[in-house]
Amino acid sequence: MSPDALITHIVGASALILVAAHAGGWAARRMGQPYIVGQLAAGIALGPSLLGSAAPGAYAWLFPDEIDTALTGFAQFALVVFLFAVGYELDLKLLGDRARTTVTVALASFVVPMAAGSGAALLFREQLSGLGMPRDPSPAVLVFAGIALSITAVPVLTAIVRENGLAPTVPGVVAVSAAGLLDVVCWTVLAGAMMENGDDHALAWPWRVVLAVGFVALMLVAARPLLRRLLWRTRMDPSLRLALLIGFALGSAWVTHSLGLHVIFGALLAGVVAPREPGGTLDPDLLRPMHDVSSLLLPFFFVVSGRSVALHTMDAAGWITLLVVTVVAVVTKIGSGTAAARLGGLDRHDARTVGVLLSARGLTELIALNAGLQAGLLSPGLYTVLVFMALATTLLTQPLLRLTRHLAERERRTRPPYETGTGTAPERPAGQDGTRAAPVADMS
């Protein structure tokens, strides 16, 4: 293919990807579902499993192999910008006086699904071998199986919290705070698993661990004050500051990729160390364009992810595996989050709400799955199962929230009047652990 024809194909494919993904997102939102669900569905529809099966000639013409590198490049760039924004918005100070409850919820919703996922991968390794997984999984594969069930999507969760009016409530704040802390734990464990698995890297993994720890320490100690002095104290133009920070994120992603990790870790780390405004507030001149860029280009990531979905591998055993994995993912996440929230002092309704919110996986799960597939920790068959699990758990979040609200209303209607004779319940504080509601940071 000539350079001109290649550019023409890239432009045409990009137009189709952007229109289809955002149309899918609009349709999903009209149906009361998160925007990301429609975008992911559009990405799968444009992949070889659906478009490639229904119209193989058109698929081969629209997405020739020669443009794969360009599409992957767009996807990686969008991923770096998106995760840089996620890291910049991540603020564990949001825990405040809910620290005990939030830490309990985060740890429980990590440990229980992690144990269930790793244990299932070990116990059912014979069955998973039918999906292309090794009969004797490595420790990295077992850890990744647990991580796949432990992740919660902070951006999707936050969007659901806002859309359901839960932002100023205790369960909304606890769920978002716990999900942010949970993300830190999951990404850290995932980084260790992927580093150990990089056997073909030029450096042995112990040396890469040392270099990675040194790089993280350098970023945490030196990068923030240096960036604050360079970009904020000089009163630099916001557009130039944005460009330099995105370059900083890309450079950090390149370093972590060179150490045998994924670009996602460098992008997240760059966002975490990026300096905020005085008082710790987020810079709107920085956030708004980052969200615009990432939302525009993330459809390329959905299409690249969707092209790896192999529906032809989904025989009866594959669909049964999907059903079992989805049930385990929902039950362990909701059960552990609800139980931990109850232990933290929330009532039954608020605790159930926290558990349901933590079950949303969405985009964060897809990012981790894509990284695991590239690292060889997942087979295409199991990758397909887990992608559909992520889609199913995200779709189930809204109906389960409605069910939780319905149960709470029914309990209130059937609750006997108080002995005071007023027939009304006394006003319940924001949280039984003595906490009060606070605004939730916009992380979507």
Side-chain angles (χ1 to χ4, degrees), residues 370-398:
N370 190 266
L373 181 66
Q374 293 178 12
L377 298 175
L378 286 178
S379 65
L382 186 56
Y383 172 82
T384 300
V385 167
L386 293 176
V387 166
F388 278 106
M389 179 273 289
L391 184 59
T393 54
T394 307
L395 283 169
L396 285 171
T397 303
Q398 197 68 31

Side-chain angles (χ1 to χ4, degrees), residues 80-81 84 88 223 227-228 231-232 236 238-252 267 270-271 273-275 283 286 290:
V80 168
V81 176
F84 177 72
Y88 180 64
L227 286 172
R228 181 178 288 113
L231 303 180
W232 265 256
M236 185 176 291
S239 60
L240 179 57
R241 183 168 58 189
L242 173 67
L244 291 177
L245 283 173
I246 290 179
F248 170 67
L250 290 169
S252 178
V273 303
D283 182 4
L286 186 60
M290 280 197 298

Side-chain angles (χ1 to χ4, degrees), residues 284-319:
D285 291 332
L286 186 60
L287 273 181
R288 194 178 301 110
M290 280 197 298
H291 284 311
D292 291 342
V293 171
S294 60
S295 63
L296 175 66
L297 295 180
L298 271 176
F300 290 97
F301 173 76
F302 292 122
V303 168
V304 170
S305 299
R307 294 182 75 184
S308 300
V309 171
L311 283 176
H312 63 275
T313 65
M314 294 290 287
D315 53 10
W319 291 109

Side-chain angles (χ1 to χ4, degrees), residues 60-103:
W61 181 79
L62 285 169
F63 301 108
D65 293 340
E66 290 87 346
I67 71 170
D68 284 353
T69 302
L71 296 182
T72 303
F74 284 137
Q76 294 296 302
F77 180 82
L79 207 54
V80 168
V81 176
F82 171 78
L83 289 170
F84 177 72
V86 169
Y88 180 64
E89 291 177 289
L90 184 61
D91 185 11
L92 296 182
K93 293 179 182 178
L94 186 66
L95 301 181
D97 55 0
R98 302 170 189 83
R100 179 175 60 85
T101 301
T102 302
V103 171

Side-chain angles (χ1 to χ4, degrees), residues 6-67:
L6 183 62
I7 294 174
T8 301
H9 268 87
I10 292 173
V11 171
S14 299
L16 176 62
I17 289 169
L18 292 175
V19 171
H22 287 289
W26 175 84
R29 184 163 288 172
R30 294 279 293 179
M31 293 185 288
Q33 290 292 342
Y35 202 81
I36 181 182
V37 171
Q39 290 187 312
L40 175 59
I44 295 174
L46 291 176
S49 296
L50 293 182
L51 179 60
S53 298
Y59 176 78
W61 181 79
L62 285 169
F63 301 108
D65 293 340
E66 290 87 346
I67 71 170

